[in-house]
Structures are given as structure tokens and as C-alpha cells.
Amino acid sequence: MTKTFKTPTRRAFLAGATAAFATPAILKSSRAYAATPTLKVGHVSPRTGPLAGFAEADDFVLKGIEAALSSGLENNGKSWNVEIISKDSQSNPNRAAEVAADLILRDEVDIIVAASTPDTVNPVADQAEINEVPCITTDCPWQPYFFGRNGVPGEGFASTYHFFWGLEDVIGAFLDMWGQSGVAKKVGGLFPNDADGNAWGHPELGLPTPLAAAGYDLIDPGRFQPLSDDFSNYIAAFKEAGCEIVTGNMIAPDFATFWSQAAQQGFNPKIVTIGKALLFPSVIESLGDRGDGLSSEVWWSPNHPFASSLTGASAKDLATGYTTASGRAWTQPIGFKHALFEVVADVVKRAEDLEDPEAITAAIAGTSLNTIVGPVDWSKGPINNVTKTPLVAGQWQKTGDSFELEVVANSAAPEIALTSDLKLLS
């Protein structure tokens, strides 16, 4: 007879070591027998650092979620309190891994969630996978999430699940938008030497192959280091090639540097479509008139025709609520941060045994839920542990003294209405 021995995780070892010193009375007890047991949810987000824009609305979202869960959630006829413990990754992958480990090993969370680029999502998911803790993540294209963690198609991961769109979707949205412009199909590529940049610029998995198939010539001068202070070589290469479009993925400070130097060096593309950097109204406003007409992907907006499964609020309700509470414009991560906890609440209600991490993970895998960002259903792929949400393309257009992110291309998700036509940069 063959026996299979499972290597204990560090979390399991610590839990076992603690139990070894427990009294018999404690050993017989379980929180499941408490009058109202508590399920702990860890949350990791970049509250500070260059990615802080992604977490700008965290306090608002968490306050709303805590209010929605204040009466607890029912599981198998018993009410459970839900405690959310949120920690700052400081926009640093090492710090993200460190606080995730703290949440797992010290706070002993039952589920861990994270959002906002591979720099946060990947290290948190890795810690959860190592320690066999159920994990749900979002706000990162699925390729840098899956392949950036050395995922193997057909095998995937045991404890970690992700919902968002993929590079194929953002490429399709960009091509949909550019195709209506009539400009030359010469594209300058700006890809940093980080998880996102290397994924977006990857020869097969990123932009180069599909852009070539669509007849576009991508000029890629190579990777730059994040927080670079000189884009002269890139600008010179784009000018020499006659690029009328610039695209890529970068943090806001890098784009501000590039865009300023482009003006100084007389480079005036007709379309600039950048992922990550151009998502936030505060960034666009900081660019003044040179923010007018810049474009990016649109994952969520007040015009998305979805509602929260937890509160019943529409996308417009949630966005308006944030603006009323903060005095600031809505941002795209609001919807996905809210949706993370929609999925958590749904999983808590459906899990066969909230004392068993494997039962929680099984409930995550079995999710089929309409959320404020669209359907979340891991049975629909496109790959193990990943499911996709809809994506369209948008452009920042100035009306009076304010900028609005208008949806200008929606072929892949016609349920999300167009709100304006694309205009070329002046």
C-alpha cells in the first residue's frame, strides 16, 4: 500500500506547534461553536508609493463593505461576523509579500484578497499559495498574474484565483479605437522593465504579434527602468520611424516625464494610448491641456450596466457615492475593489465548511456571480484559476474646466454604451 505524505506549510507547522501546547479544553473547542464566530479577511493594497492612485478609494470602499456586512453572513444556518484587516503594500512587491505573510501567519486570516497591478497581486497570491490560504485577486491583466507566477496551463494553482481582463482584450480594445482614426499604422512602444511592461511587450504574449497581424508596425526601443528621467532615445526612435501612435504601460511619473520631453523635442503623435498611467483623473488634471485627448483602457465606469450583488447599488450609484463622500472624481479601481468583497461574501455563504480552507477554495472555484464589474465565473476560463471581465477603450476629453473619461470603442462589449467619438490629439 502506497501512502502519500503532504509536506506541511509553514502556516500549518505553526498552527500545529501552537496546538501542541494547548490544554485539552482548548483542543476540544472550535470557533464554529462560538455564538457568532468570526471569519477574517486579509486585504493588501498599495495605499502609498507610486501606485497609490489604485488605492485612492480604499477607505470609501471598505467603509461601505463593512456597513453591508455589519449584520454578518449566514453559512449553513449559522451567522458569521466578517472582520477585514487591510494592510499597505507601499507599492513594493517585497513589502506586499511581507504584509501578506503577516496576515496569514500572525493575523491568521481565512481568506486573503489583493488588487492593483502585478507588484501587489503576484506576491500576495504567492504567499497564499505557499501557505494554502484561499486567495482572490483582481486589477492586473491575467497574463502577468498567471505567467508572472510561473503558472502552467492545464495545472494552474491550488488556492489562488483571479478575475480581470487579459492582454488580448486590451489589445483588441486599442485596435478597435485606433482603427477608426485613419492615422498611419506606426506605433511607438513604451514598456518598463517590470512585470507589466515585460508582459505587454512580450513578443508572443504581448502587443507585438497581434499588432503585426493587424498591419501595425511596432517600434520597440527596449525596456526602460521605472522612474526613468530621460526618454530622449525613445522619442528620437519614434520620430525617425514616423510614429503617429504611442502605446505601452507605465506608471504616472514616467508618463509625465515622457510627455513633457516629447513636447520639448517636438514629437507630436496623433494618438497616445497608455495603460496604467492614464487611468486616473488626478493624473490627467496634472497634465493640464496636454491631458486632453489621451486615451486608455476602461475596465469600469459609472456607465457600466452592472449592479452590486451585495448592496444592489448600480455602477453609477457607487461612483456618485464616492464623489459625494470625497469630493473627488470617481476612479476605475472602485468597482473592482467592491467586487472583490462581493465575491468574498458569496463564497462565505456557499462554502460547505468555513473551518476548512479547501472548502473555501472549492467555493471560490465554483463562483458564478453577477457583480458590479460584470459576471465572475471561473468555470469559463480562459485558463486555470482565471476568469475575465469586459473591457472597452476610452479617451479623456475636456469639457469646460473638467475632464471626462468617454467610452469611444466598445466592439468587444457592446453592452457598455459609447459616450463619445474618438478625437485626434492637436
Side-chain angles (χ1 to χ4, degrees):
M1 179 178 178
T2 301
K3 292 185 178 181
T4 301
F5 294 92
K6 188 174 182 181
T7 302
T9 64
R10 184 182 176 197
R11 187 186 195 218
F13 172 79
L14 290 176
T18 301
F21 293 97
T23 67
I26 293 176
L27 285 172
K28 291 178 181 178
S29 70
S30 166
R31 65 176 176 179
Y33 294 98
T36 307
T38 297
L39 182 129
K40 293 184 179 181
V41 180
H43 170 251
V44 182
S45 184
R47 298 263 188 145
T48 57
L51 299 175
F54 285 88
E56 176 183 320
D58 275 13
D59 287 340
F60 168 78
V61 172
L62 291 175
K63 183 178 180 180
I65 295 297
E66 287 168 353
L69 300 180
S70 60
S71 298
L73 292 171
E74 185 172 306
N75 173 274
N76 291 320
K78 188 175 184 66
S79 180
W80 285 69
N81 292 326
V82 178
E83 178 186 359
I84 299 170
I85 306 171
S86 183
K87 299 203 176 187
D88 179 13
S89 72
Q90 300 175 3
S91 301
N92 183 306
N94 294 329
R95 176 66 179 171
E98 180 182 331
V99 297
D102 284 346
L103 286 166
I104 292 166
L105 300 173
R106 295 182 183 177
D107 296 303
E108 297 186 336
V109 297
D110 301 284
I111 303 173
I112 192 165
V113 301
S116 308
T117 83
D119 289 337
T120 307
V121 165
N122 287 11
V124 172
D126 285 344
Q127 287 295 316
E129 188 74 10
I130 290 168
N131 290 287
E132 300 175 1
V133 175
C135 177
I136 307 166
T137 53
T138 191
D139 189 357
C140 164
W142 72 258
Q143 287 91 342
Y145 164 83
F146 189 87
F147 295 110
R149 299 178 56 220
N150 300 313
V152 178
E155 296 180 12
F157 307 102
S159 302
T160 52
Y161 287 78
H162 186 74
F163 66 95
F164 207 52
W165 42 265
L167 295 181
E168 71 278 17
D169 303 303
V170 76
I171 293 166
F174 288 1
L175 290 174
D176 183 21
M177 178 169 57
W178 301 342
Q180 60 185 279
S181 70
V183 305
K185 293 186 173 184
K186 294 276 189 177
V187 183
L190 291 169
F191 306 113
N193 186 24
D194 62 14
D196 258 341
N198 291 326
W200 284 57
H202 191 280
E204 288 83 33
L205 301 175
L207 273 68
T209 296
L211 260 60
Y216 288 82
D217 185 10
L218 178 66
I219 311 303
D220 181 2
R223 305 295 166 265
F224 62 87
Q225 292 303 314
L227 298 177
S228 177
D229 61 1
D230 187 3
F231 287 89
S232 297
N233 291 338
Y234 294 83
I235 293 167
F238 298 162
K239 289 174 68 175
E240 182 179 357
C243 293
E244 293 193 345
I245 302 172
V246 173
T247 194
N249 180 287
M250 59 207 303
I251 58 176
D254 283 335
F255 178 78
T257 301
F258 163 77
W259 200 219
S260 174
Q261 292 177 358
Q264 294 166 5
Q265 297 172 34
F267 176 51
N268 299 299
K270 295 179 180 179
I271 298 175
V272 174
T273 307
I274 301 290
K276 189 186 294 186
L278 303 183
L279 296 174
F280 304 110
S282 58
V283 173
I284 301 301
E285 290 164 1
S286 72
L287 299 172
D289 288 341
R290 282 181 60 76
D292 190 21
L294 298 175
S295 50
S296 73
E297 73 277 17
V298 180
W299 0 309
W300 184 80
S301 77
N303 295 309
H304 277 50
F306 308 123
S308 169
S309 61
L310 187 58
T311 67
S314 67
K316 185 175 182 180
D317 291 337
L318 187 62
T320 301
Y322 173 71
T323 298
T324 300
S326 68
R328 297 191 293 269
W330 63 271
T331 65
Q332 297 193 49
I334 294 172
F336 279 83
K337 293 290 180 71
H338 182 94
L340 267 178
F341 293 98
E342 286 186 72
V343 177
V344 167
D346 181 64
V347 165
V348 170
K349 293 174 185 176
R350 290 185 294 105
E352 290 188 4
D353 182 359
L354 289 177
E355 294 281 333
D356 180 4
E358 291 185 1
I360 295 174
T361 300
I364 295 172
T367 298
S368 179
L369 183 69
N370 291 320
T371 75
I372 204 160
V373 300
V376 174
D377 185 342
W378 276 284
S379 71
K380 296 183 178 180
I383 203 166
N384 310 70
N385 306 84
V386 170
T387 189
K388 297 203 298 184
T389 51
L391 186 70
V392 293
Q395 183 178 46
W396 291 99
Q397 297 181 3
K398 192 171 186 179
T399 304
D401 294 329
S402 64
F403 290 93
E404 295 293 335
L405 182 57
E406 306 288 354
V407 176
V408 297
N410 70 343
S411 292
E415 69 273 20
I416 301 168
L418 297 175
T419 60
S420 187
D421 296 322
L422 178 72
K423 65 180 185 180
L424 300 182
L425 295 170
S426 56

